[in-house]
Amino acid sequence: MTPLIGIEEEYLVVDPATRHVTPRAAEVLAATSRTLDLTHEITKFQIEARTPPTTALISIGHHLRAARKEIARAARECGLAVVASGIPVLGEVAPAPLTEGARYDHARAVYRALHDEISICALHVHIDVPSPEHAVYVGNHLRPWLPALLALAANSPYFAGRDTGYASWRAISWSRWPVAGAPPYFASYADYQAALTAMARSGALMDPKTVFWDCRPSPALPTVEIRVADVPLDVNDSLVLIGLIRALVVTALDAVARGDLGPPIPAELVRAAYWRAARDGTSGSGLDLLQGDLLPAAALAHRLFDHVRHALDAAGDLEFVEEGLDLLILRGSGATRQRRAHSWGNGLTGVVDDLIEATVA
């Protein structure tokens, strides 16, 4: 049976005159239609779109395009614009203006200056799984492949007026949080629960919702949530990533059913592979954590594709994902496009202008 998928994408509100992010997301949300599932996020710069559960990538694409177009329309009505970028390109962003509410006030007290760079936008993919225990074991199986997904999704090379030298500065900034990045390896679900209990006792967790690992059992839904990707600039890239992620989860569930709880890759190797993927994106090399090879990003992406080929075929996604992945590798991720726009001569204002256009292209 093909699992259901639910998606969350986050976007930034910008002033099209200054090209800076602006804390006016609430105004844009107020101007949107109530027929779509759109909501605020942790900062006043951000808007989140959510799709209803479905098994069809084509349906997800329809909902994401409709959400982007509606948010962009509402933003224009307010004299603003919206961009799909993993982190703000321009603007006074630190400390980030947090959305009001008791929970956010509590989070500010716990995590303090970590919130300064919290205005980050990601693609979150929820895949149905039989139980939270299955979600933990799926995380074990996905750990070796998360850096490859990060490289394919990288879309945040510029931050607050500066070239970071990275393809995904969002991933680097986010990694400072106490429970972020790749999940640890867990030998059992009891080990996972014990770890959360200990981290809560330490103060690193406010509650289960602040488990921010890039693959985690959802605290509210019967799903595993994969949060490794920058929000892609192109909806087609989002769909390729979503198809690969579901296929990874299905492949992992098949392995778990055979008693395979996943390879215990050392955390320090996963962290190193993350760093390399965040730095180089699709333009460099990546570490194959299962075979120990350093490969061009394209070769690593094709190994990922081969690993999940059967699951893609079973879901009817094989041809679409194969063609989309080849195109993504050929032209590069959103980070490549942002750097290309910068090279056209208008600097970072030109980057933002291109993001505004490409987000709803």
Side-chain angles (χ1 to χ4, degrees):
M1 182 175 178
T2 303
L4 289 166
I5 311 171
I7 301 301
E8 300 162 10
E9 276 197 342
E10 298 158 337
Y11 317 106
L12 294 165
V13 177
V14 298
D15 183 326
T18 65
R19 283 79 162 191
H20 289 197
V21 289
T22 183
R24 297 171 61 187
E27 293 176 51
V28 177
L29 277 170
T32 59
S33 165
R34 296 297 173 231
T35 60
L36 298 173
D37 191 355
L38 309 173
T39 188
H40 63 82
E41 249 296 331
I42 188 170
T43 80
K44 297 180 181 181
F45 296 142
Q46 298 166 283
I47 293 174
E48 180 179 274
R50 298 183 291 210
T51 70
T54 180
T55 60
L57 292 184
I58 191 171
S59 177
I60 294 170
H62 170 76
H63 285 289
L64 290 179
R65 290 187 178 93
R68 290 187 181 204
K69 288 179 180 178
E70 175 58 15
I71 296 168
R73 181 206 61 76
R76 286 193 300 272
E77 186 176 302
C78 301
L80 300 168
V82 64
V83 298
S85 178
I87 208 161
V89 175
L90 289 170
E92 299 296 325
V93 300
L98 299 188
T99 301
E100 287 87 0
R103 178 173 174 78
Y104 294 135
D105 291 342
H106 184 196
R108 187 185 291 108
V110 172
Y111 299 116
R112 305 175 189 182
L114 284 178
H115 282 104
D116 284 359
E117 295 182 18
I118 195 63
S119 48
I120 57 177
C121 293
L123 166 69
H124 296 174
V125 182
H126 289 267
I127 310 290
D128 268 3
V129 291
S131 70
E133 183 172 13
H134 283 83
V136 168
Y137 299 142
V138 164
N140 288 346
H141 281 279
L142 262 62
R143 290 172 78 240
W145 300 109
L146 292 174
L149 294 171
L150 171 58
L152 291 170
N155 185 29
S156 51
Y158 303 110
F159 174 57
R162 181 187 177 198
D163 184 345
T164 67
Y166 284 74
S168 176
W169 189 247
R170 180 201 66 87
I172 298 299
S173 177
W174 188 227
S175 68
R176 303 172 191 172
W177 286 69
V179 190
Y185 179 88
F186 293 105
S188 69
Y189 184 58
D191 285 351
Y192 171 80
Q193 293 177 306
L196 263 58
T197 298
M199 286 186 292
R201 191 177 299 120
S202 77
L205 293 182
M206 285 171 41
D207 54 45
K209 290 184 179 180
T210 51
V211 175
F212 294 134
W213 286 318
D214 286 337
C215 185
R216 67 172 188 175
S218 171
L221 300 168
T223 65
V224 60
E225 182 181 7
I226 293 84
R227 312 156 51 92
V228 69
D230 289 7
V231 60
L233 181 53
D234 188 309
V235 169
N236 281 337
D237 290 351
S238 293
L239 298 178
V240 168
L241 289 161
I242 293 162
L244 287 171
I245 288 168
R246 176 168 63 182
L248 277 167
V249 172
V250 170
T251 302
L253 288 172
D254 288 345
V256 173
R258 299 191 302 270
D260 180 357
L261 302 187
I265 307 293
E268 61 271 21
L269 292 183
V270 180
R271 183 172 175 83
Y274 254 67
W275 169 79
R276 187 71 183 246
R279 191 190 71 174
D280 295 345
T282 54
S283 66
S285 298
L287 184 62
D288 184 328
L289 290 167
L290 293 174
Q291 300 188 32
D293 302 330
L294 186 64
L295 300 171
L300 186 57
H302 284 124
R303 280 193 182 178
L304 165 58
F305 178 84
D306 288 341
H307 176 69
V308 299
R309 178 184 291 271
H310 177 74
L312 288 170
D313 193 25
D317 297 337
L318 182 65
E319 183 177 353
F320 173 82
V321 171
E322 185 171 26
E323 292 179 359
L325 181 62
D326 286 345
L327 179 59
L328 196 167
I329 291 168
L330 178 66
R331 57 165 165 69
S333 69
T336 305
R337 176 159 179 159
Q338 288 198 40
R339 292 195 180 282
R340 189 180 301 125
H342 187 270
S343 73
W344 294 337
N346 291 322
L348 293 180
T349 60
V351 172
V352 177
D353 288 342
D354 188 61
L355 285 169
I356 292 170
E357 179 180 351
T359 295
V360 293

